[in-house]
Amino acid sequence: MLPTIGRRTVLQTIGVAGALGLASSAAEAETEATADAAALSRHDALRTDRFEVEFDGEAVSGWQTVTIPGRSTEQDEYREGNDADYEKKVWGQTTFDDLEMERGIQREDVNRLYDWHEAVRAGKADEGRKEIAVKLLDGRGGNPEPLLEWRFEGAWIKEYSPPELDASADGDMATESVTVAFDKMTRKEV
């Protein structure tokens, strides 16, 4: 959260500075306070609640969570020559976890994820694979802009979970979740 400098803080700054003869006007003190707040805001972290998802270039709304896959690289060891005390560590193949996504079911496209998974189950290659883009947005200002983007090529749903229905729930949202496998993942600054 960005630090805020309230009117009281500015007035206190003006009072102390004026008493010491350091500031000639309220405008100078306010300008300094604004500059300090701007300097602090440049170092703030991006928020995880500002993101958007696209399937084949089309924005898809309603996402609750998207877990970007982690990756790991295998490690192996070997010895060179007759040196029994020295093991060299080398890297091997890099593997990726699956993309995990959860979405509130939307009235306007209630079957989107279900139909996609049905196409995969039926072996329809053209409908079963999609390109997914997940964009992390900079939420500062009035118009959030994407800063980072993860692209998943050749993505297909390997697991679909329908909503859990509970008559005693207190207005909970009906959500469906998917586990998505993919051929290639890239990350770039936008």
Side-chain angles (χ1 to χ4, degrees):
M1 183 170 189
L2 296 176
T4 56
I5 298 178
R7 182 182 175 111
R8 182 176 176 176
T9 305
V10 171
L11 292 176
Q12 288 173 342
T13 303
I14 294 168
V16 172
L20 297 175
L22 299 175
S24 61
S25 72
E28 288 178 8
E30 189 172 350
T31 302
E32 289 175 10
T34 304
D36 290 342
L40 288 173
S41 70
R42 280 183 248 140
H43 302 289
D44 61 336
L46 297 174
R47 294 181 47 166
T48 60
D49 64 340
R50 296 182 175 127
F51 64 94
E52 58 188 28
V53 177
E54 293 178 357
F55 288 173
D56 292 333
E58 177 187 351
V60 179
S61 63
W63 297 101
Q64 299 292 307
T65 60
V66 174
T67 304
I68 304 296
R71 63 182 179 183
S72 60
T73 303
E74 295 174 358
Q75 175 183 311
D76 202 3
E77 300 172 353
Y78 77 96
R79 299 173 196 263
E80 290 184 359
N82 293 329
D83 191 359
D85 295 330
Y86 176 71
E87 289 183 343
K88 187 171 185 175
K89 296 184 186 320
V90 296
W91 59 86
Q93 182 176 358
T94 298
T95 57
F96 294 89
D97 297 333
D98 293 323
L99 175 63
E100 302 281 338
M101 306 173 80
E102 182 177 15
R103 178 176 187 248
I105 296 178
Q106 306 287 304
R107 282 187 193 355
E108 59 274 1
D109 63 350
V110 71
N111 292 321
R112 182 183 295 263
L113 295 179
Y114 180 80
D115 288 347
W116 181 15
H117 186 251
E118 280 298 302
V120 170
R121 190 187 64 74
K124 298 177 181 176
D126 292 340
E127 296 173 41
R129 290 192 179 264
K130 297 190 181 299
E131 183 172 306
I132 299 175
V134 179
K135 299 176 183 181
L136 182 61
L137 306 176
D138 179 5
R140 294 180 290 178
N143 189 18
E145 294 292 328
L147 287 180
L148 290 175
E149 177 180 272
W150 290 267
R151 285 208 169 270
F152 303 91
E153 297 175 22
W156 55 277
I157 295 178
K158 74 180 216 180
E159 185 177 322
Y160 169 81
S161 298
E164 181 179 322
L165 306 177
D166 182 358
S168 65
D170 190 25
D172 291 346
M173 183 183 305
T175 61
E176 55 190 345
S177 61
V178 291
T179 301
V180 178
F182 51 89
D183 294 337
K184 182 179 178 183
M185 178 178 101
T186 56
R187 175 189 179 269
K188 68 176 185 172
E189 286 187 47
V190 181

